[in-house]
Amino acid sequence: IHSGIPREAPGSERSSRRALRFLGSLPDVARVLDMGCGPGKQTLVLADVLQGSHITAVDINQPYLDQLQRAVDEQGLADRIKVTNASMDRLDMEPGSVDLIWAEGSAYSIGVENALRVWRPLLKPQGFLGFTDLTWLVDQRPDAAVEFWASGYAAMTDRVGNFAQLAATGYEVIDSFVLPSSDWWDDYYTPLLERVDSLEMQATQDRDLAAAIESTRLEIEIYRRYGESFGYVFYLAQRG
């Protein structure tokens, strides 16, 4: 279902650029880790904004990495972006060697607090972290949304909860902001809906595919109805 779509989570070039503006000064030749990079839309933004950077884009899904590698080659960025198939919680890298860790929509897959703990030693002293995470935005939450995300992301918390996890794992919060609704629709849900529509006929002969399509449609409907109660939040922090 997700193969070939532009993004694997809500986000946009505009939001990535906005988040980068919150960070303090990075070295002229910054070393950057893009964790769970997926097809790499944000990887290319990092390369554009941080012109002197060397970026390692990490994911375990080879088709996503192949998609990113094609873009890297087409844009002549092979000397600055290294595409790597590896688990983002088991990287063979020198401690204290990274200036910036970036993770759009990926930290939850290994648990946010776990990700923060595992990644912190890789950062240089005062190194930076930017990540997005699905977050409750209100205290009074619709029952249907709570029920849906209880099975999809049981560890989901609010901003205060994520701030607490950052503090507990040795980071100082710089700022945060909620991704706009367009970040859900433009490069994520709209192409995802087009994909599931194109697979409906095939799903009549494939129960697993049919179940995945049903789940995808339900998620989109939950966001359409109750999206004011939850959203992706960009968190910016610095190693303490």
Side-chain angles (χ1 to χ4, degrees):
I1 288 176
H2 284 251
S3 178
I5 68 171
R7 290 182 175 272
E8 291 306 306
S12 68
E13 178 177 334
R14 177 178 295 180
S15 290
S16 298
R17 290 178 181 274
R18 178 184 176 188
L20 284 165
R21 289 196 294 271
F22 282 98
L23 301 182
S25 298
L26 287 164
D28 291 339
V29 182
R31 190 172 185 188
V32 181
L33 271 177
D34 186 6
M35 298 289 204
C37 63
K41 281 277 192 177
Q42 72 291 331
T43 316
L44 302 176
V45 174
L46 289 166
D48 183 54
V49 175
L50 307 175
Q51 285 288 325
S53 62
H54 292 282
I55 302 166
T56 301
V58 176
D59 207 288
I60 58 171
N61 187 298
Q62 192 59 44
Y64 297 159
L65 297 175
D66 292 341
Q67 189 175 337
L68 173 56
Q69 188 65 61
R70 287 192 293 272
V72 168
D73 293 341
E74 289 168 1
Q75 297 184 31
L77 294 170
D79 61 331
R80 294 183 50 219
I81 297 177
K82 179 183 179 182
V83 178
T84 302
N85 191 319
S87 177
M88 59 186 177
D89 59 347
R90 290 190 296 274
L91 291 177
D92 184 17
M93 296 192 71
E94 182 182 352
S97 62
V98 178
D99 297 290
L100 170 63
I101 291 178
W102 206 251
E104 294 197 26
S106 60
Y108 85 96
S109 64
I110 61 171
V112 170
E113 187 164 353
N114 177 53
L116 298 177
R117 291 188 187 281
V118 170
W119 295 346
R120 185 179 181 277
L122 300 176
L123 286 170
K124 295 178 181 178
Q126 307 303 308
F128 294 101
L129 169 69
F131 72 99
T132 64
D133 190 45
L134 189 62
T135 303
W136 289 113
L137 303 178
V138 298
D139 293 329
Q140 300 299 318
R141 300 157 188 172
D143 291 342
V146 170
E147 181 180 355
F148 178 81
W149 290 116
S151 60
Y153 187 15
M156 181 175 167
T157 185
D158 55 16
R159 272 201 262 199
V160 172
N162 276 332
F163 291 158
Q165 291 185 92
L166 282 161
T169 50
Y171 297 86
E172 297 177 2
V173 175
I174 297 172
D175 216 323
S176 68
F177 64 91
V178 180
L179 272 58
S181 180
S182 58
D183 280 15
W184 290 74
W185 293 108
D186 293 351
D187 281 345
Y188 187 51
Y189 276 164
T190 297
L192 195 55
L193 278 170
E194 292 173 355
R195 173 59 52 79
V196 297
D197 286 345
S198 72
L199 293 171
E200 284 288 4
M201 186 62 69
Q202 182 179 336
T204 62
Q205 306 298 320
D206 185 333
R207 290 183 178 179
D208 290 340
L209 177 58
I213 288 174
E214 182 180 2
S215 177
T216 299
R217 290 195 184 281
L218 176 57
E219 177 185 328
I220 294 171
E221 186 60 23
I222 289 290
Y223 180 73
R224 195 190 305 274
R225 293 186 180 186
Y226 309 112
E228 76 286 346
S229 66
F230 61 88
Y232 267 81
V233 173
F234 226 124
Y235 297 91
L236 292 308
Q238 188 170 22
R239 175 177 171 171

